[in-house]
Amino acid sequence: MRGNRLFTVVLLAGVLLRVVTMLGFPPALWFNDSYDFLRVANDPFPHQLRPSGYGLFLWLLKPFHSLALVTILQHAAVVGIAVLGYRMLVREFDVRRHWAALAVAPVLLDAFQIELEHLLLSDTLFTVLVFGAMLLMARPGTTGWRRAALVGALLGLASVTRTVGVPLFVIVVLYLLLRRTRWTTYVALGAAFVIPLGSYATWYESEHGRFGMSGVDGIFLWGRTAAFADCDAHRPPAELARLCPYGAADDRPASSHQIWEANSPTGWTDGEPFPAETNALAQRFAVWAIMNQPLDYVRVVAYDFFVRTFAWEREPYPTVGTEARYHFPTEARTHKDLPVIGGGQRPSVVREYTHDAGRTRIVGPYADVMRWYQEHVRIPGTVLGLVLLAGAAGMVWRRARPRTFLFWSSAVTLLAVPPLTVDFDYRYMLPAMPFACFAAAVAWGRGRPAGPSRRGGKPDGPGAERDTDADAGTEPART
């Protein structure tokens, strides 16, 4: 903290806000997906709707029977990755201290980020894994096979937590190509990345007869095309006709919501996975719709990416109830008595994990403080867009282009993949924020060397081991 006053203030405020959250909403906040993850944690199996990585994380913590422990670890992990990121910006990436503090401020202070950490959802674990992987990859110096293997393993674990992590592997490969890295690095990276994914896909095949990460890739893509598919103007093949969305395109619910409606053509029923045949037909329908209406597909994706993502105000999307889950609640909600895939009802699944009812308690005045804070302190989408523009400009006019590319392209990928494949959701924006901020800081915040070293008499801090390979796009010579 010494000599880093702005960061110290931001860090202490971030920690205090998380303590107030823990006091105001013990032990955790709930989302519809939370019960599926707890069901996996109670008796691990590859879930048919979403990868089970987060459920396995909860399974490791099950002996403690404490949801408070889960949320404490999630809050602490984000604070820890912010501290690590700040340190690397200043001491490894030559970024001025006030620029570095501003880069980590959204992660530490954004109210919706803090609320997301308190939810029993996979997003926090995913963010820590992918951001840690990219920080490690961007670290100055030669990227040897050991570092590449660790980065690949982290990305592999992230991808079995949320499948949007898979495209980030391509970003890392492109970054290594820019730096002209040795072939052994690519082998180590690929092998370490494939091991978690291959192991999980094999496990999934042994349980469900299909080599993959889930059984809803076709269903989700169908939901994306359900926003525009016009079966009157373009007649589908007879076997796909039953999957035509209901109503005019302008009056349909959000893409992701159409999947789960009670009268959805997908035939969704609480507690039952989608049949493999339905998923396959849904994928065929989605491909057919995109091929017949490519401009409409581009239109809905572009609207979600450019308009919804970078809007100043939030709207109740994809539904009023879903968006409300991202706000600190005013009253405790009971666990609905609904069946869960894998067996059991929501209340029984919670009780098996926690040995109690596991209900969120609203405790004043701490809860009131956080609700007020959330109304006034957040990072609007427009600000995120401006930060991305700053990073893009940095790749054109500033140095350290490969490293800026690594962070910037990761942010864009995390923002673009959901609208391309499923739908827009506000919580998908938050993992992209630190990448966007780091891209802008690395591009525009680099300063002069500072301070003596504590590492064997060598310079430490900005300018310590100047990353000439990141500036020039080549690996430093080996000695």
Side-chain angles (χ1 to χ4, degrees), residues 140-143 179 466-470 474-479:
T142 303
T143 305
R179 296 187 58 177
R466 191 163 297 278
D467 191 15
T468 55
D469 55 316
T474 58
E475 288 276 352
R478 293 179 179 268
T479 58

Side-chain angles (χ1 to χ4, degrees), residues 8 21 48 68 101 126 164 182 184 208 226 245 253 271 282 294 334 350 405 452 472 475:
T8 300
T21 299
Q48 293 97 319
F126 173 80
V164 71
R182 292 187 175 185
T184 53
H208 306 301
T334 59
V350 174
F405 165 81
E475 288 276 352

Side-chain angles (χ1 to χ4, degrees), residues 130-349:
V130 295
F131 195 56
M134 294 307 185
L135 284 176
L136 182 61
M137 177 53 60
R139 189 177 181 185
T142 303
T143 305
W145 69 268
R146 292 181 180 85
R147 192 203 302 192
L150 182 54
V151 170
L154 289 173
L155 289 178
L157 292 174
S159 298
V160 300
T161 303
R162 279 189 61 200
T163 52
V164 71
V166 174
L168 296 181
F169 174 78
V170 179
I171 301 299
V172 172
V173 172
L174 293 175
Y175 172 73
L176 292 176
L177 288 172
L178 289 174
R179 296 187 58 177
R180 305 175 189 175
T181 311
R182 292 187 175 185
W183 67 270
T184 53
T185 302
Y186 299 97
V187 173
L189 175 74
F193 176 73
V194 167
I195 288 173
L197 267 70
S199 300
Y200 186 86
T202 301
W203 184 32
Y204 190 92
E205 182 181 36
S206 68
E207 293 285 335
H208 306 301
R210 181 193 186 212
F211 189 81
M213 304 294 290
S214 72
V216 290
D217 49 352
I219 293 289
F220 284 160
L221 191 59
W222 174 89
R224 175 74 291 182
T225 60
F228 62 84
D230 188 344
C231 291
D232 293 329
H234 308 275
R235 185 177 298 277
E239 65 273 18
L240 304 180
R242 70 178 181 87
L243 288 170
C244 288
Y246 301 137
D250 294 339
D251 297 328
R252 294 172 190 168
S255 291
S256 54
H257 184 61
Q258 290 192 60
I259 297 172
W260 316 107
E261 282 192 306
N263 63 342
S264 172
T266 62
W268 164 249
T269 302
D270 286 316
E272 297 181 11
F274 292 103
E277 179 186 2
T278 300
N279 183 64
L281 287 175
Q283 188 170 58
R284 289 179 56 196
F285 181 94
V287 173
W288 169 83
I290 293 172
M291 295 296 293
N292 281 277
Q293 299 174 254
L295 295 181
D296 289 324
Y297 173 68
V298 172
R299 174 180 55 81
V300 297
V301 170
Y303 186 85
D304 280 356
F305 181 77
F306 291 105
V307 179
R308 286 199 169 99
T309 300
F310 303 121
W312 183 267
E313 297 291 343
R314 295 168 69 103
E315 59 178 302
Y317 188 90
T319 68
V320 174
T322 298
E323 202 275 332
R325 295 286 184 174
Y326 306 140
H327 295 258
F328 289 110
T330 57
E331 59 183 18
R333 301 183 179 99
T334 59
H335 302 301
K336 294 181 180 180
D337 197 22
L338 293 174
V340 179
I341 292 176
Q345 305 287 115
R346 287 183 176 183
S348 64
V349 167

